[in-house]
Amino acid sequence: MTRHLILIFAIASGGCLGESDTVPLGYACPSGENFPIVSQVFERRCGTLDCHGDPGRPFRVYGRSGLRLRQPDGSGPPSGTEIGTTPIEIDENRFSACGLEPEAMDAVVNGQADPETLILLRKPRVVEAHKGGQVLTVGSTADNCILSWLRGSVDNLSCEAALLQP
Amino acid sequence: MKPLTFLALSLVVAACESPINSELVTSLGPEVPGVEESEFHRYGQPCLACHGTYGGEGPEMSVAGTVFATPNDDIPVAGAKVVLIDANGARHESITNCAGNFYVEPSQFEPLYPMHVEVECPLPDGTVRRAVMGTRVNREGACAGCHDKGPASPTSPGQVYCLESQPTPPFAIPTPCAGGPTPQ
């Protein structure tokens, strides 16, 4: 009985790991090397406070104009100010994107699956139901930016162009 | 009513309630003594918590909020023009009352998101200052759904405001007013 309780407690504790505690466990994630500009596209397209800037969303996006990463005491940079998105917030955005479907992302990174099968693209393209409606159209600069990151080589020109759009 | 019918009806009604919204409404607390339920009440609070899809209180609102003078002062701005432009280019304008409140009913304007928002603020010196929201609204019709009353925090850019700091001459609390910080 005691061993069962310990096992249940251990499993429950494992489920409570904070997002900052570790990268997606044991799964591959596209490189963070050129991710900052991709993060900006996510922040701009997805990260407003009424969408994925909500900490309750599975794909949670931090950013200068949206949700800011808080310390355990609740402190952190204020939203909507001149304090830009921090490197830690950018990392957290990458982990969040990869943590949506870790096994599927792992397969994409290892060349065993097409990135277009990921929920990260299917939802904003409205291939799958998305409360926020269509945020990406196939072939658009923002779509190309994210897709290029998923394919392992960030298309900076597309990302920059996407950031210039309203 | 037969018990089974009653049970079925109860389940349907319960299913329509949003526990998250109910929690939000509870967190807003009671009415301020002396302020009646009207367009002047609960300034700075997320109007759609009650007047939105899940709230059930009338009138139903599609967009609503409060405009303040500065980020840190509890001074509502009366007569501010709130301009809403939706994804189709449809435009709607509202004017804030003495509590700084404005609201839009779905019959007047139901935006297709994302929505652009700007505010034309009447300054105490008689000029007008245009404040433009930096990001688009994507789904939340209540300004205070994101813009918590008070200054900016990690989870909110703070209340909607006209100027970073008090101008000369300064903003004053609009009086008399049936709501706002000094209801009378």
Side-chain angles (χ1 to χ4, degrees):
Chain A
M1 181 64 185
T2 308
R3 270 185 292 180
H4 282 157
L5 282 174
I6 291 170
L7 180 63
I8 290 168
F9 181 73
I11 291 171
S13 303
C16 294
L17 276 176
E19 57 197 352
S20 302
D21 295 338
T22 178
V23 294
L25 294 168
Y27 297 104
C29 185
S31 169
E33 190 179 347
N34 292 311
F35 184 72
I37 194 166
V38 182
S39 178
Q40 285 188 63
V41 172
F42 279 128
E43 291 166 38
R44 187 82 177 272
R45 294 276 168 156
C46 320
T48 55
L49 284 165
D50 54 349
C51 289
H52 292 276
D54 182 328
R57 302 254 178 262
F59 176 44
R60 182 267 316 114
V61 177
Y62 291 116
R64 172 178 170 239
S65 301
L67 181 70
R68 305 310 305 258
L69 181 62
R70 286 161 291 171
Q71 300 299 316
D73 65 1
S75 65
S79 172
T81 57
E82 291 174 359
I83 303 171
T85 310
T86 64
I88 295 173
E89 288 173 323
I90 292 169
D91 278 346
E92 293 290 357
N93 289 345
R94 187 167 71 93
F95 299 153
S96 181
C98 291
L100 268 181
E101 293 177 297
E103 299 95 339
M105 184 65 90
D106 186 89
V108 165
V109 174
N110 290 315
Q112 296 158 345
D114 187 332
E116 297 187 64
T117 60
L118 292 171
I119 204 170
L120 190 66
L121 285 175
R122 292 203 324 267
K123 275 194 169 260
R125 288 175 171 183
V126 202
V127 174
E128 190 166 318
H130 184 222
K131 175 74 176 173
Q134 185 164 19
V135 179
L136 296 177
T137 49
V138 177
S140 66
T141 51
D143 191 81
N144 286 343
C145 171
I146 296 167
L147 191 56
S148 67
W149 171 64
L150 293 169
R151 286 184 169 148
S153 177
V154 173
D155 178 352
N156 281 298
L157 286 177
S158 286
C159 298
E160 286 166 10
L163 292 172
L164 292 175
Q165 292 175 350
Chain B
M1 193 181 291
K2 291 180 179 176
L4 273 180
T5 313
F6 178 76
L7 177 64
L9 191 61
S10 304
L11 287 174
V12 169
V13 170
C16 290
E17 277 190 11
S18 160
I20 293 172
N21 196 71
S22 301
E23 204 171 288
L24 172 62
V25 171
T26 304
S27 73
L28 299 177
E31 296 286 344
V32 172
V35 179
E36 294 183 6
E37 289 186 23
S38 70
E39 64 267 39
F40 304 106
H41 82 143
R42 293 185 178 274
Y43 76 112
Q45 292 193 356
C47 314
L48 272 68
C50 295
H51 296 276
T53 308
Y54 297 110
E57 295 286 340
E60 188 181 347
M61 301 172 184
S62 54
V63 184
T66 308
V67 177
F68 291 86
T70 70
N72 299 307
D73 294 303
D74 188 11
I75 303 176
V77 174
K81 183 195 287 182
V82 181
V83 180
L84 312 169
I85 302 171
D86 80 357
N88 276 337
R91 179 186 176 103
H92 183 84
E93 296 179 359
S94 291
I95 302 292
T96 58
N97 62 27
C98 62
N101 290 346
F102 77 95
Y103 71 93
V104 183
E105 296 182 43
S107 59
Q108 298 171 300
F109 182 68
E110 195 152 24
L112 177 70
Y113 291 104
M115 178 173 67
H116 168 87
V117 182
E118 53 189 67
V119 183
E120 293 176 17
C121 297
L123 303 187
D125 67 1
T127 60
V128 173
R129 200 251 178 181
R130 181 167 164 255
V132 179
M133 187 169 161
T135 60
R136 307 298 170 92
V137 179
N138 282 295
R139 63 198 289 183
E140 176 59 71
C143 300
C146 298
H147 292 271
D148 295 348
K149 190 168 180 287
S153 72
T155 56
S156 170
Q159 62 196 24
V160 177
Y161 61 87
C162 290
L163 284 175
E164 286 290 342
S165 58
Q166 277 279 29
T168 306
F171 282 101
I173 296 171
T175 53
C177 188
T182 55
Q184 48 189 275

